[in-house]
Amino acid sequence: MIGLLGLNHKTAPIKVREKFVFCEEDVKRFVPQLIDAGINGAIVVSTCNRTEIYFDYPEKDIFDCTSTLAKMLFDWRKADKSVGAHFYHKFQDEASQHLFRVASGLDSMALGEYQIVGQLKDAFAIADKYELHTPTLIRLFNKAFEAGKKVRTETALSKGAVSISYAAVELANKKLHNLSSHPTLLLGAGQTGELTLQNLLKKGCNQFTIINRTAAKAQELAKRYKGVAREFSELQNELVHNDIVVTSTASKKPLITKEMVELVMIERQHKPMFFVDLSVPHNVAPNVAEIENVFVNDIDDLNAVVDKTFDIRKGEIEKAEAIIAEFVTDFSDWQHTRNLTTTFQSISDNFKKINEAELEGFIKRQSKDNTDEASMYADHITNKFIRLMIKNVKSITDNGRKKEYIELVNDLFKLAP
């Protein structure tokens, strides 16, 4: 059985979301605690817009599992239980539908964006690396990747879609107009940082500097796009020389503080600065916005830019939802059919026992020449009856959904004659 506990940009502001961001080390430490508590396995998806824990649980323990997971998560982050109001709980078809919508870009802040696919694959890879998932979760995520690919292939949902990086650059361009005349600092050289840089270049920005904690990554990115890389220790000095600052690092604490920017603004003679913080948790301390001539926008401020492109693609949502519904049904059928594994094995074992017992007596009455043919015929008729019984059991139990019928069939084939 699968469940989901999560929150996203629709249910929680950034000040709540940033409390529940998971890095790889967090996943490595936290999920084994869930497994020790009785949950079979889990995959944690953590991005700037969402933290979602997809988990596999024993059916009989559904309520215990969900309450235990929520309590452990809130204790882990030292969060008051009142934050629970921002979380959603989903189970079975509702949980798989949600993940398939996420993988298709339907649940993103920027409708149809593709970056989420890479983030889901990263989450899956971490669970795989530490063996934290289960066969059910593996199947669930593989189906999510298939669903996302089919939606993007067979609909125009992603046509004209914008990314958060694009929205950030559009916002900067709207505020400052001519980006080519404003030197820009990128703090962070990951995927989001590179996408932001690509959009800056399209808008004519040709003066940019890259800083990253791992200097080699900053240097490699700067070389590829013909920019300048600086050491992390030079951050404050670079703030003095750049009008636009875009941050996208995984730091759990603000890298740019109010005190730092106050000193920078003195050196800049209070020339305006524009910050776009794409990080969760914040890379720019919220109180930096209190400084005169300093403008700070975080990821939640980008909705207005993103919403402008929504109308172009909203007609494709219905097509995408129809595709997702097919995948939900397919995954549900697979999951319920797994309930019949024991039943099918029982049917097979019993028919084979009957065959062996009857064949043994038959062979004793036959000549040696007929023995091989009799054995082949017995195997053939046994397998034919097994396939017929399995087909009928699937039909009667609605592919494993009618559990009272499964119990009846199990009782019927419990003992061989």
Side-chain angles (χ1 to χ4, degrees):
M1 306 292 283
I2 60 167
L4 161 64
L5 174 68
L7 81 174
N8 62 21
H9 59 285
K10 299 175 183 177
T11 68
I14 191 170
K15 66 180 181 180
V16 175
R17 299 200 307 273
E18 65 185 5
K19 294 178 182 294
F20 296 96
V21 172
F22 276 73
C23 64
E24 180 175 336
E25 186 63 26
D26 292 332
V27 174
K28 177 184 174 182
R29 294 168 55 200
F30 181 66
V31 174
Q33 294 182 28
L34 300 182
I35 295 173
D36 289 343
I39 290 172
N40 297 330
I43 297 178
V44 181
V45 177
S46 186
T47 74
C48 57
N49 280 330
R50 72 184 66 249
T51 292
E52 295 177 340
I53 302 174
Y54 294 87
F55 57 98
D56 182 2
Y57 62 93
E59 182 181 359
K60 63 180 180 179
D61 296 329
I62 176 173
F63 296 110
D64 289 341
C65 281
T66 51
S67 60
T68 296
L69 194 157
K71 183 179 185 305
M72 291 178 69
L73 178 61
F74 299 158
D75 289 346
W76 173 265
R77 289 305 188 206
K78 297 180 173 58
D80 187 89
K81 62 181 181 181
S82 62
V83 299
H86 296 285
F87 281 80
Y88 38 84
H89 301 255
K90 300 179 186 294
F91 306 97
Q92 289 300 94
D93 289 358
E94 193 177 8
S96 63
Q97 180 190 45
H98 181 86
L99 178 59
F100 298 165
R101 294 184 84 255
V102 170
S104 302
L106 281 170
D107 199 61
S108 298
M109 178 186 288
L111 181 67
E113 61 92 14
Y114 187 74
Q115 192 173 357
I116 185 62
V117 176
Q119 293 166 331
L120 289 176
K121 289 182 177 180
D122 289 343
F124 182 85
I126 291 172
D128 187 55
K129 179 178 179 180
Y130 299 108
E131 299 182 344
L132 303 174
H133 49 35
T134 65
T136 299
L137 290 171
I138 293 172
R139 178 83 173 197
L140 174 68
F141 269 70
N142 282 333
K143 282 296 173 184
F145 299 140
E146 289 179 28
K149 182 177 181 179
K150 188 168 184 178
V151 166
R152 288 182 172 85
T153 301
E154 299 188 7
T155 75
L157 189 70
S158 297
K159 186 177 181 180
V162 303
S163 65
I164 295 302
S165 304
Y166 170 88
V169 174
E170 284 294 304
L171 184 62
N173 191 51
K174 180 180 178 181
K175 296 286 186 181
L176 301 175
H177 305 297
N178 184 11
L179 295 187
S180 63
S181 62
H182 295 283
T184 300
L185 172 65
L186 290 174
L187 180 56
Q191 184 182 34
T192 299
E194 182 169 4
L195 289 172
T196 302
L197 179 53
Q198 290 172 353
N199 284 298
L200 282 168
L201 292 171
K202 290 177 184 177
K203 287 293 182 180
C205 177
N206 51 25
Q207 304 174 66
F208 62 90
T209 303
I210 303 169
I211 289 179
N212 194 66
R213 281 196 183 277
T214 305
K217 288 188 69 174
Q219 292 165 1
E220 191 275 332
L221 192 62
K223 181 179 180 180
R224 199 181 330 151
Y225 292 96
K226 300 179 181 179
V228 176
R230 299 295 186 199
E231 297 289 333
F232 188 82
S233 59
E234 299 179 72
L235 174 59
Q236 185 163 334
N237 182 59
E238 286 303 318
L239 291 176
V240 175
H241 302 295
N242 286 277
D243 300 337
I244 304 171
V245 181
V246 183
T247 69
S248 59
T249 83
S251 174
K252 293 186 177 182
K253 295 181 179 179
L255 300 175
I256 298 173
T257 64
K258 184 178 181 180
E259 295 73 20
M260 181 188 298
V261 178
E262 284 176 334
L263 293 174
V264 165
M265 289 301 286
I266 292 173
E267 289 192 62
R268 286 174 59 85
Q269 298 181 348
H270 300 283
K271 182 182 177 182
M273 286 191 77
F274 184 75
F275 289 89
V276 182
D277 190 354
L278 300 181
S279 305
V280 180
H282 287 102
N283 281 176
V284 181
N287 60 1
V288 169
E290 298 171 3
I291 303 172
E292 187 177 0
N293 285 337
V294 175
F295 306 92
V296 180
N297 291 273
D298 62 29
I299 200 164
D300 285 353
D301 295 321
L302 303 179
N303 273 312
V305 177
V306 170
D307 287 346
K308 286 183 179 180
T309 68
F310 178 80
D311 289 340
I312 301 172
R313 300 179 317 286
K314 68 179 181 181
E316 298 299 304
I317 293 177
E318 187 174 338
K319 297 178 187 176
E321 295 285 15
I323 292 172
I324 288 170
E326 293 176 2
F327 276 89
V328 171
T329 299
D330 180 69
F331 178 74
S332 180
D333 286 346
W334 173 83
Q335 196 174 14
H336 282 96
T337 299
R338 294 191 78 206
N339 294 330
L340 295 171
T341 300
T342 302
T343 302
F344 294 157
Q345 188 62 52
S346 177
I347 291 172
S348 179
D349 290 345
N350 277 273
F351 268 103
K352 287 178 180 178
K353 286 178 182 178
I354 293 171
N355 170 55
E356 290 171 2
E358 293 300 315
L359 183 61
E360 183 179 354
F362 178 80
I363 289 175
K364 287 179 180 178
R365 299 191 295 272
Q366 303 298 314
S367 66
K368 291 183 179 180
D369 293 339
N370 294 332
T371 299
D372 289 342
E373 290 185 8
S375 179
M376 290 174 60
Y377 175 76
D379 288 341
H380 166 73
I381 201 68
T382 297
N383 290 330
K384 186 170 184 177
F385 270 110
I386 289 173
R387 288 194 295 270
L388 178 63
M389 288 298 299
I390 287 175
K391 179 181 178 181
N392 290 339
V393 168
K394 282 185 175 182
S395 176
I396 291 170
T397 63
D398 190 16
N399 279 323
R401 289 180 174 80
K402 296 179 179 178
K403 292 178 182 172
E404 66 277 16
Y405 288 3
I406 297 177
E407 293 174 4
L408 178 62
V409 175
N410 282 336
D411 287 340
L412 182 63
F413 289 94
K414 188 174 291 182
L415 296 174

